[in-house]
Amino acid sequence: MTLFERWFGKSEETSAERAKERLRLVLAHERAFTHFPFMDDLRKDIVEVIQKYMKVEDINIKTDQSRDLDLDMLEVEVSVGKDVKKEPTIIN
Amino acid sequence: MGTVITVTSGKGGVGKSTISANLAVGLADAGHRVIAVDFDIGLRNLDMILGLENRIVYDVIDVMEEKCRLPQAMIHDKFSKNLFFLPASQTKDKTILDKGKVFKLITQLKEDFDYIIVDSPAGIESGFEHAILGADMALIISTPEVSSVRDADRVIGIIDAKSHKAQAGEEVEKHVIINRLKPELVEKGDMLAIQDVTNILALPLIGVVPDDERVISSTNLGEPVIRKKDTISGRAFKNIVQRLLGKDVEFLNLSPENRFMAIIKRWFT
């Protein structure tokens, strides 16, 4: 942006236009997170399933969501800590 | 079978209860059997806007916990034989509600009424979930301000995840109402315009209610503004009612000079 634009060009932008632009940016970011509204339930289920096979307490689940043009990505990383008892607690 | 219309928003204080009250009155005055249900548990408000606060004996939680029968808790409107009101509880912990009870109540109301207007609490917590659970239609209220539009967008994103209808594979009809528009500010470029808000939220617009002092005085009196003659907000509400009933009504011309003329005219009538 040139000094000229900063002084003259930009001063013509109204506060409503700024509001529109700021909203567009913040919502583009936030919508990615409402795209998987079931994340909390999914987390609980993952913990349950893991505890069915392993006797661990500190399960750490890290999720990352991203959106491409035609692809929704959901990455789930599960770490189960050190004290893993290999024996499954429930055998069905 | 009645239609459940949930009035909701992300941000608080954008006028959900006022809009719920006015639409309920409007639909009732158009000859339909209507019940307005206040689901803002712990923060009762709709009663004062409807002017029915002195008649409350039981509330919606009492009904759901079967401490009273539904008709005992329903309050009849002062002016319309078609309009009933079911108040929110004021004191009880809102976490005691469970989805099964909420859905049972809504189903029961659908049998007795043409329209069930559910006034939802703000936000996306459990109270909102209960209010949206049985919705056939959701009216999302936003003022033309960044925080309100932003929060409305969040709510829109989770409506389908929380409603029974959407989970059964159908879609909850969603519409936007823009409240407290100030045409003078829009003109100056200091307020988001109608089109800006609808573009961002990407939902059909069902009404625009201009900022109007008469709404405040009506709330003071407990007489919804839709029943006041010659109010611009009252006309806006009447138009929304018509659109809810499936009629194609033109949007009010809210350009500043028009409002000015309306005020001048009011002085001379």
Side-chain angles (χ1 to χ4, degrees):
Chain A
M1 198 196 299
T2 65
L3 206 58
F4 182 83
E5 273 176 335
R6 205 181 302 163
W7 285 355
F8 300 100
K10 276 284 161 184
S11 67
E12 300 209 342
E13 188 188 45
T14 62
S15 73
E17 278 161 3
R18 276 295 291 151
K20 217 169 19 174
E21 194 49 37
R22 291 175 61 220
L23 270 171
R24 217 196 318 270
L25 285 172
V26 75
L27 291 181
H29 175 74
E30 286 176 352
R31 276 174 189 161
F33 288 89
T34 47
H35 205 60
F36 298 102
F38 46 78
M39 276 319 292
D40 286 349
D41 292 336
L42 183 67
R43 260 168 207 277
K44 277 182 215 148
D45 285 353
I46 291 174
V47 170
E48 252 172 57
V49 170
I50 289 171
Q51 281 176 336
K52 188 172 156 188
Y53 294 97
M54 287 183 259
K55 204 175 174 181
V56 282
E57 286 303 325
D58 60 334
I59 298 170
N60 203 338
I61 298 174
K62 214 166 88 184
T63 57
D64 193 21
Q65 304 165 11
S66 57
R67 265 180 121 170
D68 234 321
L69 273 181
D70 48 8
L71 192 68
D72 281 336
M73 279 275 283
L74 171 63
E75 285 174 65
V76 181
E77 191 185 307
V78 184
S79 59
V80 292
K82 276 183 176 170
D83 307 319
V84 184
K85 302 230 169 37
K86 294 276 162 58
E87 295 289 312
T89 51
I90 306 162
I91 303 164
N92 286 324
Chain B
M1 218 33 170
T3 305
V4 180
I5 303 176
T6 298
V7 180
T8 189
S9 75
K11 192 178 171 296
V14 297
K16 280 183 302 299
S17 297
T18 306
I19 289 173
S20 300
N22 279 288
L23 297 184
V25 167
L27 285 166
D29 289 351
H32 299 275
R33 264 178 77 77
V34 181
I35 186 158
V37 188
D38 192 349
F39 249 83
D40 200 349
I41 308 300
L43 297 165
R44 182 189 282 172
N45 262 326
L46 195 52
D47 56 338
M48 289 204 78
I49 298 171
L50 286 167
L52 298 172
E53 69 273 19
N54 293 326
R55 306 184 177 197
I56 298 174
V57 181
Y58 296 106
D59 60 54
V60 67
I61 300 275
D62 292 326
V63 176
M64 282 191 271
E65 290 185 330
E66 292 174 3
K67 288 194 178 140
C68 68
R69 288 176 304 109
L70 176 59
Q72 288 179 293
M74 293 188 323
I75 297 158
H76 209 159
D77 184 53
K78 284 185 265 190
F79 303 105
S80 170
K81 63 176 172 40
N82 289 329
L83 180 61
F84 289 83
F85 165 61
L86 199 50
S89 68
Q90 188 65 302
T91 51
K92 287 162 201 158
D93 182 7
K94 58 181 160 190
T95 55
I96 55 172
L97 268 185
D98 82 68
K99 287 184 189 173
K101 285 177 188 165
V102 174
F103 200 68
K104 193 180 145 209
L105 172 71
I106 297 290
T107 313
Q108 203 178 344
L109 292 174
K110 277 176 93 157
E111 281 168 22
D112 294 342
F113 292 92
D114 300 325
Y115 290 95
I116 299 98
I117 307 288
V118 179
D119 184 16
S120 138
I124 50 180
E125 300 303 315
S126 66
F128 163 76
E129 283 184 40
H130 292 136
I132 203 74
L133 192 65
D136 295 304
M137 184 193 273
L139 301 180
I140 297 103
I141 318 301
S142 178
T143 59
E145 289 156 83
V146 279
S147 46
S148 171
V149 176
R150 178 198 204 174
D151 295 352
D153 189 82
R154 298 272 296 176
V155 163
I156 291 164
I158 58 172
I159 286 174
D160 283 331
K162 303 296 183 191
S163 95
H164 230 268
K165 200 171 181 185
Q167 278 156 21
E170 290 171 85
E171 210 188 329
V172 179
E173 223 182 291
K174 296 186 270 298
H175 298 274
V176 172
I177 294 178
I178 298 175
N179 197 19
R180 298 199 200 121
L181 186 86
K182 297 183 179 175
E184 304 85 359
L185 278 190
V186 175
E187 193 97 328
K188 274 199 281 177
D190 277 334
M191 180 175 261
L192 290 167
I194 297 166
Q195 187 93 55
D196 297 337
V197 179
T198 51
N199 278 351
I200 291 167
L201 297 179
L203 284 180
L205 182 73
I206 198 167
V208 179
V209 185
D211 194 48
D212 185 359
E213 289 163 9
R214 298 286 294 269
V215 172
I216 300 171
S217 56
S218 296
T219 306
N220 290 344
L221 301 170
E223 297 164 359
V225 73
I226 194 168
R227 284 196 177 125
K228 305 269 175 211
K229 279 198 181 123
D230 301 323
T231 57
I232 184 106
S233 51
R235 272 170 60 208
F237 284 125
K238 276 187 186 143
N239 284 355
I240 298 173
V241 168
Q242 291 304 308
R243 290 184 199 113
L244 285 173
L245 295 172
K247 300 205 179 77
D248 198 9
V249 189
E250 236 181 277
F251 282 85
L252 292 176
N253 185 347
L254 298 174
S255 64
E257 63 270 27
N258 253 46
R259 285 200 72 195
F260 181 70
M261 284 311 290
I263 291 166
I264 301 284
K265 266 188 212 154
R266 208 161 73 204
W267 287 344
F268 290 100
T269 48

